[in-house]
Amino acid sequence: VRTVSLRASALNIFAPHSTRSIEMSAILARAPCKITQTSRRGYTTRTTAAVAPPPLAARRSGSALAQRSSFAASKIGSSFVQTTRTHAPMRSSRMCVEASGDWVLMVNDVAGKMGTAVVEAAQAKGIKIAPYCLTGPKRDPITIGDVTVELFDTSFDRDEVMQRIKKEFPKLMVIDYTVPQCVNLNAELYIKHGIPFVMGTTGGDRDKLLADVKDAGLFAVIAPQMGKQVVAFQAAMKIMGDRFPGAFKGYTLKVTESHQSSKVDTSGTAKAIVASFKDMGIEFEESQIELVRDPKEQVERMHVPEEHLLGHAYHTYELTSPDGLVSFKFEHNVCGRSIYAQGTVDAALCLMSKIDSGSEQTLFNMIEVLESGDMR
């Protein structure tokens, strides 16, 4: 019995996404063999019983997902090593899947609900989490999954803290979900220490934020909306505004957005969609956006499930023709935080990939993250 070891890491070839019969070289002859499939990076490990090579006709028939094998066999003692490549379109998202490598994510602030959700989403993708974070009021360490995070409050010297963490984790990246008043201060800290980051926190002086990061040449993803599917909708509306100016001229617009009562500012997503409608000829000001923050009204009028009153984002855009005979209605309703956490982690993975590949562009938004590859 000979053992054939299939390793995903060999020759930098990605493992196939499904287990299938593999065309064996004549070098293995027709003797029964034991097939062992292994991987270093989370692919399923499977060992089959001793089998005989399939008939030539069966080996040539392939499957619904056509696969060709790049065969590289070398005798090592009494075993062989074979690698297979699935010839599918290779886009940068493929790199994002394996991008984490030696990278470590520091999430500011894990004491918040978004921070916790991001850590859980990152752990689900096998990304290492730094056991430290910056926070506001003094708090005890927090355990999320398999990591206990030490929180450094405002009594600590932030520069010393970041120097210490950067020394321990040279390939450090920060995900920021703090508060609006800390956006610019935190960004200045990351710039000072050369730490790439994903800014999910809304608010702050956005023009200054973008200018500071661009001038510093620091790698970053900055976006007020991290939910990939919502961003895709937002991008589609922008394309409509750019390509069809005046398409809705004369129409009236009503915008209603509902968020948890703790959110006092107007949704950045609603503002962006309104800007696209204005490009399509509608006269409307951001101040006309209706904010629903009363829990009773959210349940009765907006139909928000009670269990999600503390974490939801409901948006409705209604357009009506001048004569009232034609109407359009767009809605995107989100309960919970998983859509934002997953999108944020994907943004971090793609940023890691951009850095590792030596990208000339350093500053990205979420639309560019989506354009870089498949949404997973």
Side-chain angles (χ1 to χ4, degrees), residues 270-296:
K271 291 179 180 179
I273 298 298
V274 164
S276 296
F277 279 128
K278 290 174 72 173
D279 289 338
M280 287 183 260
I282 292 178
E283 295 184 4
F284 191 89
E285 299 301 325
E286 291 181 359
S287 59
Q288 295 175 259
I289 298 174
E290 181 184 4
L291 280 61
V292 179
R293 297 293 184 268
D294 177 63
K296 187 174 185 294

PDB file of all heavy atoms in Angstrom, residues 270-296:
ATOM      1  N   ALA A 270     -28.173  56.454   4.381  1.00  0.00           N
ATOM      2  CA  ALA A 270     -29.318  57.223   3.874  1.00  0.00           C
ATOM      3  C   ALA A 270     -28.838  58.484   3.163  1.00  0.00           C
ATOM      4  O   ALA A 270     -29.369  58.850   2.104  1.00  0.00           O
ATOM      5  CB  ALA A 270     -30.256  57.578   5.027  1.00  0.00           C
ATOM      6  N   LYS A 271     -27.846  59.133   3.730  1.00  0.00           N
ATOM      7  CA  LYS A 271     -27.301  60.351   3.096  1.00  0.00           C
ATOM      8  C   LYS A 271     -26.727  60.030   1.715  1.00  0.00           C
ATOM      9  O   LYS A 271     -26.910  60.799   0.759  1.00  0.00           O
ATOM     10  CB  LYS A 271     -26.218  60.957   3.983  1.00  0.00           C
ATOM     11  CG  LYS A 271     -26.727  61.551   5.290  1.00  0.00           C
ATOM     12  CD  LYS A 271     -25.560  62.110   6.091  1.00  0.00           C
ATOM     13  CE  LYS A 271     -26.026  62.718   7.413  1.00  0.00           C
ATOM     14  NZ  LYS A 271     -24.888  63.249   8.208  1.00  0.00           N
ATOM     15  N   ALA A 272     -26.011  58.903   1.613  1.00  0.00           N
ATOM     16  CA  ALA A 272     -25.404  58.535   0.336  1.00  0.00           C
ATOM     17  C   ALA A 272     -26.470  58.219  -0.712  1.00  0.00           C
ATOM     18  O   ALA A 272     -26.353  58.614  -1.878  1.00  0.00           O
ATOM     19  CB  ALA A 272     -24.478  57.329   0.535  1.00  0.00           C
ATOM     20  N   ILE A 273     -27.527  57.507  -0.310  1.00  0.00           N
ATOM     21  CA  ILE A 273     -28.598  57.175  -1.254  1.00  0.00           C
ATOM     22  C   ILE A 273     -29.323  58.445  -1.697  1.00  0.00           C
ATOM     23  O   ILE A 273     -29.664  58.611  -2.876  1.00  0.00           O
ATOM     24  CB  ILE A 273     -29.584  56.185  -0.616  1.00  0.00           C
ATOM     25  CG1 ILE A 273     -28.881  54.866  -0.258  1.00  0.00           C
ATOM     26  CG2 ILE A 273     -30.758  55.925  -1.551  1.00  0.00           C
ATOM     27  CD1 ILE A 273     -28.305  54.130  -1.433  1.00  0.00           C
ATOM     28  N   VAL A 274     -29.554  59.356  -0.764  1.00  0.00           N
ATOM     29  CA  VAL A 274     -30.193  60.630  -1.093  1.00  0.00           C
ATOM     30  C   VAL A 274     -29.362  61.392  -2.120  1.00  0.00           C
ATOM     31  O   VAL A 274     -29.907  61.973  -3.077  1.00  0.00           O
ATOM     32  CB  VAL A 274     -30.415  61.477   0.176  1.00  0.00           C
ATOM     33  CG1 VAL A 274     -30.711  62.934  -0.186  1.00  0.00           C
ATOM     34  CG2 VAL A 274     -31.554  60.907   1.007  1.00  0.00           C
ATOM     35  N   ALA A 275     -28.058  61.394  -1.949  1.00  0.00           N
ATOM     36  CA  ALA A 275     -27.171  62.086  -2.903  1.00  0.00           C
ATOM     37  C   ALA A 275     -27.342  61.511  -4.306  1.00  0.00           C
ATOM     38  O   ALA A 275     -27.339  62.259  -5.304  1.00  0.00           O
ATOM     39  CB  ALA A 275     -25.725  61.958  -2.443  1.00  0.00           C
ATOM     40  N   SER A 276     -27.502  60.188  -4.413  1.00  0.00           N
ATOM     41  CA  SER A 276     -27.694  59.564  -5.725  1.00  0.00           C
ATOM     42  C   SER A 276     -29.042  59.952  -6.324  1.00  0.00           C
ATOM     43  O   SER A 276     -29.147  60.217  -7.530  1.00  0.00           O
ATOM     44  CB  SER A 276     -27.598  58.037  -5.599  1.00  0.00           C
ATOM     45  OG  SER A 276     -26.300  57.644  -5.198  1.00  0.00           O
ATOM     46  N   PHE A 277     -30.084  60.008  -5.485  1.00  0.00           N
ATOM     47  CA  PHE A 277     -31.393  60.423  -5.990  1.00  0.00           C
ATOM     48  C   PHE A 277     -31.360  61.878  -6.456  1.00  0.00           C
ATOM     49  O   PHE A 277     -32.016  62.242  -7.447  1.00  0.00           O
ATOM     50  CB  PHE A 277     -32.462  60.239  -4.919  1.00  0.00           C
ATOM     51  CG  PHE A 277     -32.975  58.827  -4.793  1.00  0.00           C
ATOM     52  CD1 PHE A 277     -33.006  58.186  -3.569  1.00  0.00           C
ATOM     53  CD2 PHE A 277     -33.425  58.150  -5.913  1.00  0.00           C
ATOM     54  CE1 PHE A 277     -33.481  56.885  -3.459  1.00  0.00           C
ATOM     55  CE2 PHE A 277     -33.905  56.848  -5.814  1.00  0.00           C
ATOM     56  CZ  PHE A 277     -33.928  56.212  -4.583  1.00  0.00           C
ATOM     57  N   LYS A 278     -30.608  62.707  -5.763  1.00  0.00           N
ATOM     58  CA  LYS A 278     -30.482  64.106  -6.185  1.00  0.00           C
ATOM     59  C   LYS A 278     -29.804  64.192  -7.551  1.00  0.00           C
ATOM     60  O   LYS A 278     -30.159  65.023  -8.383  1.00  0.00           O
ATOM     61  CB  LYS A 278     -29.700  64.903  -5.133  1.00  0.00           C
ATOM     62  CG  LYS A 278     -30.481  65.103  -3.833  1.00  0.00           C
ATOM     63  CD  LYS A 278     -29.646  65.764  -2.755  1.00  0.00           C
ATOM     64  CE  LYS A 278     -29.400  67.227  -3.067  1.00  0.00           C
ATOM     65  NZ  LYS A 278     -28.720  67.920  -1.930  1.00  0.00           N
ATOM     66  N   ASP A 279     -28.838  63.292  -7.783  1.00  0.00           N
ATOM     67  CA  ASP A 279     -28.190  63.244  -9.098  1.00  0.00           C
ATOM     68  C   ASP A 279     -29.191  62.833 -10.181  1.00  0.00           C
ATOM     69  O   ASP A 279     -29.016  63.163 -11.358  1.00  0.00           O
ATOM     70  CB  ASP A 279     -27.014  62.261  -9.087  1.00  0.00           C
ATOM     71  CG  ASP A 279     -25.843  62.784  -8.277  1.00  0.00           C
ATOM     72  OD1 ASP A 279     -25.755  64.007  -8.084  1.00  0.00           O
ATOM     73  OD2 ASP A 279     -25.020  61.954  -7.831  1.00  0.00           O
ATOM     74  N   MET A 280     -30.231  62.115  -9.784  1.00  0.00           N
ATOM     75  CA  MET A 280     -31.263  61.695 -10.741  1.00  0.00           C
ATOM     76  C   MET A 280     -32.368  62.729 -10.898  1.00  0.00           C
ATOM     77  O   MET A 280     -33.412  62.453 -11.487  1.00  0.00           O
ATOM     78  CB  MET A 280     -31.854  60.348 -10.310  1.00  0.00           C
ATOM     79  CG  MET A 280     -30.923  59.170 -10.539  1.00  0.00           C
ATOM     80  SD  MET A 280     -31.678  57.582 -10.091  1.00  0.00           S
ATOM     81  CE  MET A 280     -30.965  57.299  -8.464  1.00  0.00           C
ATOM     82  N   GLY A 281     -32.150  63.919 -10.333  1.00  0.00           N
ATOM     83  CA  GLY A 281     -33.068  65.031 -10.579  1.00  0.00           C
ATOM     84  C   GLY A 281     -34.028  65.362  -9.470  1.00  0.00           C
ATOM     85  O   GLY A 281     -34.876  66.260  -9.628  1.00  0.00           O
ATOM     86  N   ILE A 282     -33.943  64.681  -8.339  1.00  0.00           N
ATOM     87  CA  ILE A 282     -34.887  64.932  -7.247  1.00  0.00           C
ATOM     88  C   ILE A 282     -34.361  66.036  -6.339  1.00  0.00           C
ATOM     89  O   ILE A 282     -33.176  66.063  -5.985  1.00  0.00           O
ATOM     90  CB  ILE A 282     -35.111  63.642  -6.423  1.00  0.00           C
ATOM     91  CG1 ILE A 282     -35.861  62.622  -7.279  1.00  0.00           C
ATOM     92  CG2 ILE A 282     -35.880  63.930  -5.139  1.00  0.00           C
ATOM     93  CD1 ILE A 282     -36.105  61.302  -6.596  1.00  0.00           C
ATOM     94  N   GLU A 283     -35.254  66.937  -5.976  1.00  0.00           N
ATOM     95  CA  GLU A 283     -34.891  68.003  -5.047  1.00  0.00           C
ATOM     96  C   GLU A 283     -35.191  67.538  -3.623  1.00  0.00           C
ATOM     97  O   GLU A 283     -36.351  67.285  -3.270  1.00  0.00           O
ATOM     98  CB  GLU A 283     -35.681  69.282  -5.373  1.00  0.00           C
ATOM     99  CG  GLU A 283     -35.338  69.872  -6.738  1.00  0.00           C
ATOM    100  CD  GLU A 283     -36.066  71.182  -6.999  1.00  0.00           C
ATOM    101  OE1 GLU A 283     -36.780  71.648  -6.079  1.00  0.00           O
ATOM    102  OE2 GLU A 283     -35.917  71.731  -8.106  1.00  0.00           O
ATOM    103  N   PHE A 284     -34.157  67.408  -2.826  1.00  0.00           N
ATOM    104  CA  PHE A 284     -34.312  66.867  -1.478  1.00  0.00           C
ATOM    105  C   PHE A 284     -33.086  67.250  -0.657  1.00  0.00           C
ATOM    106  O   PHE A 284     -31.963  67.241  -1.161  1.00  0.00           O
ATOM    107  CB  PHE A 284     -34.434  65.338  -1.546  1.00  0.00           C
ATOM    108  CG  PHE A 284     -34.868  64.678  -0.256  1.00  0.00           C
ATOM    109  CD1 PHE A 284     -36.206  64.492   0.022  1.00  0.00           C
ATOM    110  CD2 PHE A 284     -33.930  64.240   0.672  1.00  0.00           C
ATOM    111  CE1 PHE A 284     -36.621  63.881   1.200  1.00  0.00           C
ATOM    112  CE2 PHE A 284     -34.320  63.624   1.844  1.00  0.00           C
ATOM    113  CZ  PHE A 284     -35.677  63.448   2.114  1.00  0.00           C
ATOM    114  N   GLU A 285     -33.300  67.562   0.600  1.00  0.00           N
ATOM    115  CA  GLU A 285     -32.192  67.911   1.493  1.00  0.00           C
ATOM    116  C   GLU A 285     -32.053  66.851   2.590  1.00  0.00           C
ATOM    117  O   GLU A 285     -33.046  66.223   2.999  1.00  0.00           O
ATOM    118  CB  GLU A 285     -32.424  69.288   2.126  1.00  0.00           C
ATOM    119  CG  GLU A 285     -32.526  70.421   1.132  1.00  0.00           C
ATOM    120  CD  GLU A 285     -31.280  70.568   0.279  1.00  0.00           C
ATOM    121  OE1 GLU A 285     -30.170  70.319   0.809  1.00  0.00           O
ATOM    122  OE2 GLU A 285     -31.420  70.920  -0.910  1.00  0.00           O
ATOM    123  N   GLU A 286     -30.830  66.660   3.069  1.00  0.00           N
ATOM    124  CA  GLU A 286     -30.593  65.666   4.111  1.00  0.00           C
ATOM    125  C   GLU A 286     -31.433  65.926   5.356  1.00  0.00           C
ATOM    126  O   GLU A 286     -31.837  64.981   6.053  1.00  0.00           O
ATOM    127  CB  GLU A 286     -29.106  65.635   4.488  1.00  0.00           C
ATOM    128  CG  GLU A 286     -28.201  65.071   3.403  1.00  0.00           C
ATOM    129  CD  GLU A 286     -26.748  65.042   3.823  1.00  0.00           C
ATOM    130  OE1 GLU A 286     -26.460  65.495   4.962  1.00  0.00           O
ATOM    131  OE2 GLU A 286     -25.900  64.577   3.041  1.00  0.00           O
ATOM    132  N   SER A 287     -31.713  67.187   5.624  1.00  0.00           N
ATOM    133  CA  SER A 287     -32.495  67.531   6.809  1.00  0.00           C
ATOM    134  C   SER A 287     -33.928  67.005   6.736  1.00  0.00           C
ATOM    135  O   SER A 287     -34.638  66.941   7.745  1.00  0.00           O
ATOM    136  CB  SER A 287     -32.522  69.053   7.006  1.00  0.00           C
ATOM    137  OG  SER A 287     -33.083  69.690   5.871  1.00  0.00           O
ATOM    138  N   GLN A 288     -34.367  66.610   5.535  1.00  0.00           N
ATOM    139  CA  GLN A 288     -35.716  66.079   5.361  1.00  0.00           C
ATOM    140  C   GLN A 288     -35.806  64.589   5.679  1.00  0.00           C
ATOM    141  O   GLN A 288     -36.903  64.029   5.712  1.00  0.00           O
ATOM    142  CB  GLN A 288     -36.195  66.328   3.921  1.00  0.00           C
ATOM    143  CG  GLN A 288     -36.361  67.789   3.550  1.00  0.00           C
ATOM    144  CD  GLN A 288     -36.728  67.977   2.093  1.00  0.00           C
ATOM    145  OE1 GLN A 288     -35.901  68.300   1.249  1.00  0.00           O
ATOM    146  NE2 GLN A 288     -38.009  67.742   1.790  1.00  0.00           N
ATOM    147  N   ILE A 289     -34.688  63.942   5.909  1.00  0.00           N
ATOM    148  CA  ILE A 289     -34.704  62.518   6.263  1.00  0.00           C
ATOM    149  C   ILE A 289     -35.371  62.354   7.624  1.00  0.00           C
ATOM    150  O   ILE A 289     -34.998  63.011   8.595  1.00  0.00           O
ATOM    151  CB  ILE A 289     -33.271  61.939   6.303  1.00  0.00           C
ATOM    152  CG1 ILE A 289     -32.608  62.046   4.925  1.00  0.00           C
ATOM    153  CG2 ILE A 289     -33.296  60.486   6.777  1.00  0.00           C
ATOM    154  CD1 ILE A 289     -31.151  61.623   4.908  1.00  0.00           C
ATOM    155  N   GLU A 290     -36.351  61.486   7.700  1.00  0.00           N
ATOM    156  CA  GLU A 290     -37.065  61.266   8.964  1.00  0.00           C
ATOM    157  C   GLU A 290     -36.357  60.197   9.788  1.00  0.00           C
ATOM    158  O   GLU A 290     -36.140  59.073   9.320  1.00  0.00           O
ATOM    159  CB  GLU A 290     -38.502  60.833   8.695  1.00  0.00           C
ATOM    160  CG  GLU A 290     -39.306  60.616   9.971  1.00  0.00           C
ATOM    161  CD  GLU A 290     -40.702  60.095   9.715  1.00  0.00           C
ATOM    162  OE1 GLU A 290     -41.030  59.834   8.531  1.00  0.00           O
ATOM    163  OE2 GLU A 290     -41.460  59.922  10.696  1.00  0.00           O
ATOM    164  N   LEU A 291     -36.004  60.543  11.018  1.00  0.00           N
ATOM    165  CA  LEU A 291     -35.340  59.618  11.932  1.00  0.00           C
ATOM    166  C   LEU A 291     -36.369  59.046  12.912  1.00  0.00           C
ATOM    167  O   LEU A 291     -37.069  59.811  13.588  1.00  0.00           O
ATOM    168  CB  LEU A 291     -34.227  60.314  12.722  1.00  0.00           C
ATOM    169  CG  LEU A 291     -32.868  60.521  12.034  1.00  0.00           C
ATOM    170  CD1 LEU A 291     -32.999  61.379  10.792  1.00  0.00           C
ATOM    171  CD2 LEU A 291     -31.870  61.145  13.008  1.00  0.00           C
ATOM    172  N   VAL A 292     -36.475  57.740  12.956  1.00  0.00           N
ATOM    173  CA  VAL A 292     -37.382  57.081  13.900  1.00  0.00           C
ATOM    174  C   VAL A 292     -36.526  56.444  14.989  1.00  0.00           C
ATOM    175  O   VAL A 292     -35.733  55.529  14.716  1.00  0.00           O
ATOM    176  CB  VAL A 292     -38.241  56.008  13.204  1.00  0.00           C
ATOM    177  CG1 VAL A 292     -39.156  55.319  14.221  1.00  0.00           C
ATOM    178  CG2 VAL A 292     -39.044  56.629  12.077  1.00  0.00           C
ATOM    179  N   ARG A 293     -36.688  56.936  16.221  1.00  0.00           N
ATOM    180  CA  ARG A 293     -35.876  56.431  17.331  1.00  0.00           C
ATOM    181  C   ARG A 293     -36.733  55.957  18.518  1.00  0.00           C
ATOM    182  O   ARG A 293     -36.206  55.405  19.472  1.00  0.00           O
ATOM    183  CB  ARG A 293     -34.900  57.519  17.818  1.00  0.00           C
ATOM    184  CG  ARG A 293     -33.874  57.961  16.775  1.00  0.00           C
ATOM    185  CD  ARG A 293     -32.896  56.850  16.450  1.00  0.00           C
ATOM    186  NE  ARG A 293     -31.856  57.292  15.534  1.00  0.00           N
ATOM    187  CZ  ARG A 293     -31.931  57.186  14.211  1.00  0.00           C
ATOM    188  NH1 ARG A 293     -33.034  56.658  13.657  1.00  0.00           N
ATOM    189  NH2 ARG A 293     -30.949  57.597  13.446  1.00  0.00           N
ATOM    190  N   ASP A 294     -38.027  56.173  18.443  1.00  0.00           N
ATOM    191  CA  ASP A 294     -38.910  55.749  19.525  1.00  0.00           C
ATOM    192  C   ASP A 294     -39.222  54.260  19.377  1.00  0.00           C
ATOM    193  O   ASP A 294     -39.750  53.830  18.336  1.00  0.00           O
ATOM    194  CB  ASP A 294     -40.217  56.545  19.475  1.00  0.00           C
ATOM    195  CG  ASP A 294     -41.193  56.081  20.534  1.00  0.00           C
ATOM    196  OD1 ASP A 294     -40.876  56.214  21.731  1.00  0.00           O
ATOM    197  OD2 ASP A 294     -42.263  55.558  20.161  1.00  0.00           O
ATOM    198  N   PRO A 295     -38.890  53.435  20.390  1.00  0.00           N
ATOM    199  CA  PRO A 295     -39.092  51.985  20.292  1.00  0.00           C
ATOM    200  C   PRO A 295     -40.521  51.583  19.949  1.00  0.00           C
ATOM    201  O   PRO A 295     -40.736  50.665  19.149  1.00  0.00           O
ATOM    202  CB  PRO A 295     -38.688  51.485  21.684  1.00  0.00           C
ATOM    203  CG  PRO A 295     -37.696  52.496  22.169  1.00  0.00           C
ATOM    204  CD  PRO A 295     -38.208  53.805  21.648  1.00  0.00           C
ATOM    205  N   LYS A 296     -41.504  52.243  20.532  1.00  0.00           N
ATOM    206  CA  LYS A 296     -42.904  51.903  20.259  1.00  0.00           C
ATOM    207  C   LYS A 296     -43.245  52.124  18.791  1.00  0.00           C
ATOM    208  O   LYS A 296     -43.874  51.281  18.135  1.00  0.00           O
ATOM    209  CB  LYS A 296     -43.824  52.751  21.147  1.00  0.00           C
ATOM    210  CG  LYS A 296     -45.297  52.375  21.076  1.00  0.00           C
ATOM    211  CD  LYS A 296     -46.097  53.183  22.098  1.00  0.00           C
ATOM    212  CE  LYS A 296     -47.566  52.753  22.142  1.00  0.00           C
ATOM    213  NZ  LYS A 296     -48.266  53.068  20.887  1.00  0.00           N
TER     214      LYS A 296
END
